[in-house]
Amino acid sequence: MATKYDAIVIGTGQAGPSLAVRLAGAGMKVAIVERKRFGGTCVNNGCIPTKTLVASARTAHVARRAGDYGVTIGNSVNVDMKKVKERKDSVVRVHNQGVEKWLKNTSNLTVYQGHARFAAAHRIQVGDEALEADKIFINVGGRASTPALRGIDQVSHLNNATMMDVDFLPEHLIVIGGSYVGLEFAQMYRRFGSEVTVVEMGPRLVAREDEDISEAVKTILESEGIHMRLGAECIAFEKRGDKAAVQVDCNSGDKSVIGSHVLLAVGRVPNTNDLGLESAGIEMDQRGYIRVNDQLQANVAGVYALGDCNGRGAFTHTAYNDYEIVAANLLDGDQRRVSDRITAYALYIDPPLGRAGMTEAEVRKSGRKALIGRRPMTRVGRAVEKGETQGFMKVLIDAETKAILGASLLGVECDEVIHSILDVMYAKAPYTVIQRAVHIHPTVSELIPTMLGELKPLE
């Protein structure tokens, strides 16, 4: 006999726990299932641990630059990787255990630890336990993909999850993939003291961004001694003693790069391959993402997919917003939709890139009349004072409606500054609202109104 619940949540990533607790608080009998570690990717091998490591790497970087600020440090700056990992683990442990305790101490909520699989549309099997519910919420996240590159099975390789176990300094880290995850690790380990080479198949880094952003990111990373091999269209691997040789076959330079360790950062796949979705008749797209509508409902009545597994967002903040959308529709009578949210994310190299809305390329492709404002960080007083003037900011405006179309801010504190623009976009207010605002001096944000006062036609 199956144990019956009002709702079953599969996975304890960013959306699942909050939804389970909210449903339980509304008086529903709820079950939540976790197969491994509470907290999902963000807590265990994503945002929280990587940004903790980034903080350690930045500290080493600033210490090495101490002389620039008139500060003298006696001996050379060394990094104790075991202590770096211990610090990271302690931060993760607080969050991981916090999620577990929260769920296990919530009334009306039963926690199951094991792998959940669908036996039917509204029936879940967790080991020997059978669970049934009219409403099932899938929040199983994703994992790093392993590309079918020649010789990949000949060399040991790391990904974003296994990098969390590294407590030593790689002599030469070869990062396969010049996008968000790969670049964060590349800069991080370069600052720890590794030699680092980034191998990217495309002609430029972070191809989703505008070309000027890509070039600026490349300049920032190369200034720290990171090697770039772009246009590596025929990547292959070969073991050479205790080293790994990566064939890059670029237009110029050596045909291969030899390093001590390889990190694969070439994308992610959803954790939907072993859920028994076919037994429930739940539809997926060709990449394995669960198909959902604007309110995150799958094709089977009462089944929802939240977070990375639905292909509608690849971030912790979009996963949490998925929870908010589902809870609002089910419990609050508030018809919220995925299409209401504005694209926003950050690239956490240092200095960071904050993004909101459309890129310049997307605005140009749309054919609309637009205005653009730009400001180099060399003309931002706070950046000059901090000695961190790399990067630039730009914002795109609809010339007819005065609506902010998008912004790309690459510079010190720009992962926070972007929200001053994002909030105005959500308010559907014209750019003049922020352009006429009086911001605090001296800050990075104070130059947003200045930049908006110097708009020019996008030609």
Side-chain angles (χ1 to χ4, degrees):
M1 293 290 291
T3 304
K4 294 189 177 181
Y5 291 91
D6 297 313
I8 299 170
V9 178
I10 305 174
T12 63
Q14 192 65 22
S18 294
L19 180 61
V21 171
R22 180 77 197 281
L23 295 173
M28 297 175 69
K29 181 183 178 184
V30 183
I32 189 165
V33 186
E34 175 53 55
R35 68 173 180 173
K36 195 173 182 182
R37 293 179 292 183
F38 289 86
T41 296
C42 176
V43 166
N44 294 289
N45 49 53
C47 316
I48 289 172
T50 56
K51 277 47 182 183
T52 304
L53 293 172
V54 164
S56 293
R58 174 171 166 79
T59 300
H61 176 67
V62 173
R64 293 188 186 101
R65 291 189 60 206
D68 295 345
Y69 301 89
V71 177
T72 301
I73 296 178
N75 299 318
S76 62
V77 175
N78 297 310
V79 178
D80 186 332
M81 292 302 295
K82 290 190 184 299
K83 288 187 177 180
V84 167
K85 181 179 182 296
E86 286 172 4
R87 176 177 180 270
K88 180 266 297 179
D89 289 343
S90 68
V91 172
V92 169
R93 195 177 304 114
V94 169
H95 289 80
N96 175 286
Q97 294 178 354
V99 173
E100 182 176 0
K101 290 177 182 177
W102 180 38
L103 295 174
K104 289 183 175 179
N105 291 329
T106 297
S107 300
N108 298 330
L109 178 59
T110 303
V111 176
Y112 290 85
Q113 293 182 252
H115 191 108
R117 292 180 179 85
F118 280 86
H122 295 94
R123 186 183 180 99
I124 301 294
Q125 196 75 31
V126 185
D128 296 331
E129 300 269 6
L131 318 177
E132 288 184 351
D134 291 335
K135 287 184 168 35
I136 297 179
F137 305 91
I138 306 169
N139 177 224
V140 294
R143 63 187 185 279
S145 62
T146 302
L149 297 171
R150 183 162 53 88
I152 190 69
D153 56 340
Q154 294 184 28
V155 299
S156 59
H157 48 268
L158 299 156
N159 58 34
N160 73 291
T162 55
M163 283 295 286
M164 296 301 103
D165 297 325
V166 173
D167 63 355
F168 58 89
L169 186 66
E171 178 187 351
H172 184 177
L173 180 65
I174 303 176
V175 179
I176 310 299
S179 198
Y180 307 92
V181 173
L183 297 185
E184 288 178 26
F185 276 109
Q187 186 184 50
M188 181 196 309
Y189 273 85
R190 179 59 186 155
R191 289 180 168 188
F192 286 148
S194 298
E195 183 177 356
V196 176
T197 300
V198 174
V199 178
E200 165 58 41
M201 296 183 74
R204 59 188 178 93
L205 301 176
V206 283
R208 179 177 178 176
E209 308 303 334
D210 289 323
E211 289 189 22
D212 54 356
I213 293 290
S214 293
E215 189 59 34
V217 168
K218 179 172 176 284
T219 298
I220 288 168
L221 296 178
E222 286 183 330
S223 72
E224 296 189 23
I226 296 172
H227 308 294
M228 299 292 176
R229 302 303 301 266
L230 306 179
E233 297 180 356
C234 296
I235 298 175
F237 301 86
E238 178 186 348
K239 188 172 180 61
R240 295 190 187 175
D242 61 349
K243 306 284 188 182
V246 181
Q247 177 185 334
V248 293
D249 196 21
C250 297
N251 295 326
S252 61
D254 294 335
K255 296 295 184 183
S256 62
V257 177
I258 299 175
S260 60
H261 295 81
V262 173
L263 167 63
L264 295 181
V266 290
R268 296 178 65 78
V269 293
N271 290 325
T272 56
N273 60 304
D274 194 19
L275 284 178
L277 296 180
E278 62 282 352
S279 298
I282 298 170
E283 292 181 358
M284 295 178 285
D285 66 16
Q286 60 185 6
R287 297 182 297 165
Y289 292 101
I290 298 171
R291 297 183 187 277
V292 294
N293 64 15
D294 211 17
Q295 296 182 326
L296 301 167
Q297 298 166 311
N299 64 301
V300 175
V303 176
Y304 297 73
L306 301 85
D308 292 4
C309 68
N310 64 23
R312 302 296 294 271
F315 308 102
T316 296
H317 52 276
T318 54
Y320 188 79
N321 183 238
D322 284 356
Y323 144 67
E324 293 177 313
I325 291 168
V326 171
N329 282 286
L330 289 179
L331 302 175
D332 301 333
D334 186 358
Q335 300 299 304
R336 295 180 65 174
R337 302 168 298 176
V338 176
S339 56
D340 290 335
R341 68 187 175 212
I342 298 168
T343 298
Y345 55 87
L347 165 62
Y348 289 99
I349 61 166
D350 181 28
L353 167 69
R355 280 274 297 108
M358 302 172 73
T359 62
E360 180 181 337
E362 289 170 338
V363 172
R364 289 182 182 279
K365 189 175 180 181
S366 73
R368 71 184 75 195
K369 292 182 179 179
L371 305 172
I372 187 170
R374 293 177 61 98
R375 177 161 286 257
M377 297 304 290
T378 53
R379 293 179 59 206
V380 175
R382 188 63 184 275
V384 174
E385 294 149 12
K386 292 172 73 73
E388 300 181 36
T389 57
Q390 294 173 305
F392 64 93
M393 302 187 289
K394 67 175 176 177
V395 63
L396 283 302
I397 306 295
D398 188 303
E400 297 177 350
T401 67
K402 297 185 178 180
I404 301 174
L405 299 175
S408 300
L409 312 182
L410 175 63
V412 60
E413 299 176 12
C414 280
D415 54 331
E416 293 286 353
V417 176
I418 191 67
H419 294 95
S420 66
I421 292 175
L422 186 61
D423 289 343
V424 173
M425 294 174 71
Y426 271 113
K428 300 187 187 317
Y431 80 89
T432 50
V433 169
I434 189 171
Q435 189 259 320
R436 294 172 182 175
V438 180
H439 285 190
I440 296 169
H441 174 81
T443 62
V444 178
S445 296
E446 70 173 320
L447 273 302
I448 299 298
T450 305
M451 179 170 59
L452 289 170
E454 301 173 343
L455 298 174
K456 296 180 180 179
L458 182 65
E459 298 175 346

